[in-house]
Amino acid sequence: MPVIRFYKLYLSPGRKYVKTLRNLLGFVPGNLSLYRLAFRHKSAAQNVKKGVKNSNERLEFLGDAVLGSVVAEVLFKMYPFKDEGFLTELRSKIVNRANLNQLGRKLGFENLVEYDNRMIGATRQGSLLGDAFEALIGAVYLDKGYDFTKNFLITRIIKPHIDIHTLELTETNFKSKLIEWCQRHGKDVIFEHITNNEGESNKLFTINVNIDGETMGMGKEFSKKYAEKLAAEKACTALGI
Amino acid sequence: MPVIRFYKLYLSPGRKYVKTLRNLLGFVPGNLSLYRLAFRHKSAAQNVKKGVKNSNERLEFLGDAVLGSVVAEVLFKMYPFKDEGFLTELRSKIVNRANLNQLGRKLGFENLVEYDNRMIGATRQGSLLGDAFEALIGAVYLDKGYDFTKNFLITRIIKPHIDIHTLELTETNFKSKLIEWCQRHGKDVIFEHITNNEGESNKLFTINVNIDGETMGMGKEFSKKYAEKLAAEKACTALGI
């Protein structure tokens, strides 16, 4: 193995790229073409078959899932006395697009991502970095397996770059976000607590968000707070806020 | 190891439960308490600490993530020429609640799940099974690791019980679902194609679903079909359809 590693780093035709990746990732990659693919945005991709491009989008799909699973386990073990509502919320704060874009920027992906800037406006450029970050996780997973990827994510990404305790305290308050938006747009917003007629558990809360009389989101949770939050989040999504 | 296995199956105090699980899972479980927890619904749980119950909900959070990741990889490898929109859609057909409940029923979870039926109506009872299925995956993952869980899911669950090709063809058509609902409720629905003013890629489509003049969902995708589908799906979620 050290021979292959030596060849890759110092003799192979792709040695420059191998060194760049080694510096970025902390390990010598196996299958280089996976990493090249991870950094290729759709705008720079070629058609490989009718309707199929060799872009990073499929790897992004895979990497998103692997990242979700690793972060789920990290939080599960880090917060043994918190319920699943808390864990779900904290995970979405960690893996949200803005956070991943920022991470991609920190890691210097701007110099690695291949894209065609005639096709991409400045506003969308940032999200390329988060997409590439997820695709990179997909590449690492296919190249090295789950346990390696988990270890890589924890030691090289989460510990040095993500301050989970701070994220825990910063609240993405969908309820107040929604209320502000409604005030700005002159709309009435009501959080309606639906009484439970079905003889179900009295612990399950159903909250509807009504905006100008229209239901824009519903949340069903075992805690009233989470039900409201969920309903507000859905309304925010539906309204594109 | 065979000695421990023999002890667990034939001598240990929990041997009856071990045999039940072995028949269900195809392997002898390690940490029994994880599996007991996976089958304990919130309604039957005890408070272990202020605000924390020993129910299966945390394991469900973890299992849901691991399942999503395994199914992502299965589809990624099964459909090498399909794009991430296709993969995302097919995965959500596989891991949707109705499907997981049915799976839980098929596997005989009704006899395993612990719950208090005074607290649960008949309508909600079904979803206990899907929840327990996800929690079980969380338990297997903590007990045996990722590769074991992946192998278990593929050989014992996906291959024998999930017909991916049939699911691929059955369409969850959110657009027609939404249109039907609007007709039934006397509402106007319009799929509005937003023109792209930002000088961005002309390949990115933005579709708004307007219901009685209110935007209820937005979809942004590189294909018009997926953008419509996504917008319709969001509107369905927002309306609780």
Side-chain angles (χ1 to χ4, degrees):
Chain A
M1 278 323 216
V3 179
I4 294 173
R5 202 168 169 276
F6 184 84
Y7 169 76
K8 280 195 170 162
L9 275 168
Y10 301 105
L11 303 169
S12 72
R15 59 189 181 272
K16 215 180 134 195
Y17 195 55
V18 173
K19 272 186 199 155
T20 307
L21 288 176
R22 198 234 358 223
N23 293 342
L24 174 70
L25 304 168
F27 61 86
V28 176
N31 183 350
L32 271 196
S33 62
L34 281 171
Y35 298 86
R36 288 216 168 87
L37 185 61
F39 287 114
R40 189 180 303 127
H41 183 255
K42 192 158 182 160
S43 62
Q46 310 288 317
N47 274 314
V48 286
K49 219 186 138 175
K50 195 181 160 290
V52 186
K53 294 200 157 201
N54 60 354
S55 79
N56 63 5
E57 289 185 302
R58 282 168 46 85
L59 279 178
E60 188 192 333
F61 163 77
L62 183 62
D64 168 80
V66 171
L67 177 67
S69 177
V70 169
V71 175
E73 185 183 356
V74 168
L75 298 181
F76 183 93
K77 291 181 170 167
M78 194 168 171
Y79 296 97
F81 294 113
K82 293 287 191 179
D83 65 23
E84 89 298 347
F86 172 91
L87 300 174
T88 304
E89 197 185 333
L90 186 50
R91 182 175 55 176
S92 75
K93 282 184 199 167
I94 294 170
V95 301
N96 75 47
R97 190 59 26 186
N99 227 9
L100 298 185
N101 290 337
Q102 205 188 350
L103 203 55
R105 192 164 290 118
K106 253 190 190 172
L107 297 170
F109 282 13
E110 274 142 322
N111 305 316
L112 284 165
V113 174
E114 244 186 280
Y115 65 95
D116 183 339
N117 60 8
R118 287 167 305 174
M119 297 206 199
I120 294 158
T123 47
R124 242 190 100 65
Q125 208 163 311
S127 84
L128 301 188
L129 306 178
D131 296 350
F133 176 72
E134 288 183 330
L136 177 67
I137 297 167
V140 176
Y141 174 69
L142 291 177
D143 192 27
K144 303 280 185 178
Y146 191 84
D147 293 332
F148 187 97
T149 308
K150 182 170 105 178
N151 188 43
F152 161 72
L153 279 171
I154 292 172
T155 56
R156 299 277 304 191
I157 306 291
I158 298 176
K159 281 191 182 157
H161 296 294
I162 300 179
D163 185 348
I164 296 180
H165 290 297
T166 304
L167 283 173
E168 184 193 338
L169 302 172
T170 57
E171 180 97 356
T172 309
N173 194 333
F174 289 105
K175 196 178 167 186
S176 56
K177 206 169 149 188
L178 185 66
I179 291 171
E180 273 168 35
W181 184 89
C182 288
Q183 285 172 339
R184 230 178 22 253
H185 290 79
K187 291 186 188 295
D188 290 327
V189 55
I190 295 163
F191 283 79
E192 185 188 8
H193 186 162
I194 306 295
T195 17
N196 200 324
N197 303 315
E198 304 168 48
E200 289 185 10
S201 159
N202 52 8
K203 291 181 299 180
L204 193 69
F205 294 90
T206 306
I207 307 274
N208 271 355
V209 178
N210 293 331
I211 295 176
D212 278 354
E214 290 263 15
T215 302
M216 297 298 278
M218 195 189 72
K220 249 189 194 179
E221 279 291 342
F222 283 97
S223 124
K224 195 175 156 189
K225 190 182 130 202
Y226 286 130
E228 274 194 348
K229 187 168 281 183
L230 188 64
E233 187 176 353
K234 282 183 184 170
C236 284
T237 307
L239 294 162
I241 305 175
Chain B
M1 279 320 214
V3 178
I4 295 174
R5 201 168 171 275
F6 184 86
Y7 169 78
K8 279 194 169 164
L9 275 167
Y10 301 107
L11 302 170
S12 71
R15 61 188 180 273
K16 218 181 134 192
Y17 195 55
V18 173
K19 273 187 199 157
T20 306
L21 288 176
R22 199 234 357 224
N23 293 340
L24 172 71
L25 304 169
F27 61 87
V28 176
N31 183 348
L32 271 195
S33 62
L34 281 172
Y35 297 86
R36 287 216 169 86
L37 184 61
F39 287 114
R40 190 179 304 125
H41 183 254
K42 189 156 184 162
S43 62
Q46 310 287 317
N47 275 314
V48 286
K49 217 185 141 176
K50 195 179 162 291
V52 185
K53 295 200 154 200
N54 59 355
S55 77
N56 63 6
E57 289 184 302
R58 282 169 44 85
L59 280 178
E60 190 192 330
F61 164 76
L62 183 62
D64 169 78
V66 171
L67 177 66
S69 177
V70 170
V71 174
E73 185 184 355
V74 168
L75 298 181
F76 183 92
K77 292 184 169 165
M78 194 167 171
Y79 295 97
F81 295 114
K82 293 287 190 178
D83 65 22
E84 89 301 346
F86 172 92
L87 300 174
T88 305
E89 196 185 335
L90 186 49
R91 182 175 56 176
S92 76
K93 282 183 198 169
I94 293 170
V95 301
N96 75 51
R97 190 60 24 187
N99 227 9
L100 297 186
N101 290 338
Q102 204 188 351
L103 203 55
R105 192 164 288 120
K106 252 190 190 172
L107 297 170
F109 282 13
E110 273 142 325
N111 306 316
L112 285 165
V113 175
E114 245 187 281
Y115 64 94
D116 183 338
N117 60 9
R118 287 167 306 176
M119 296 205 197
I120 294 158
T123 46
R124 239 192 101 66
Q125 207 162 313
S127 84
L128 300 188
L129 306 179
D131 295 350
F133 176 72
E134 288 184 330
L136 177 67
I137 297 168
V140 175
Y141 174 69
L142 291 177
D143 192 26
K144 303 279 184 177
Y146 191 84
D147 293 334
F148 187 98
T149 308
K150 181 170 104 178
N151 187 42
F152 161 72
L153 278 171
I154 292 172
T155 55
R156 300 279 302 191
I157 306 291
I158 298 176
K159 281 194 183 158
H161 295 295
I162 300 177
D163 184 347
I164 296 180
H165 289 296
T166 304
L167 284 173
E168 184 193 339
L169 301 172
T170 57
E171 180 96 355
T172 309
N173 193 332
F174 288 105
K175 195 177 167 188
S176 57
K177 205 169 148 187
L178 184 67
I179 291 170
E180 273 168 33
W181 184 88
C182 289
Q183 283 173 341
R184 232 180 18 253
H185 291 78
K187 290 186 189 297
D188 289 325
V189 57
I190 294 164
F191 283 79
E192 186 187 5
H193 186 162
I194 308 295
T195 17
N196 202 325
N197 304 317
E198 303 168 46
E200 289 187 12
S201 159
N202 53 8
K203 292 181 298 178
L204 194 69
F205 294 90
T206 306
I207 308 273
N208 270 355
V209 178
N210 294 330
I211 295 176
D212 279 355
E214 291 263 16
T215 301
M216 298 297 279
M218 195 190 70
K220 246 187 197 182
E221 279 292 342
F222 284 97
S223 123
K224 195 175 156 192
K225 192 181 128 199
Y226 285 131
E228 275 195 346
K229 188 168 281 182
L230 188 65
E233 188 175 351
K234 281 183 184 168
C236 284
T237 307
L239 293 162
I241 305 177

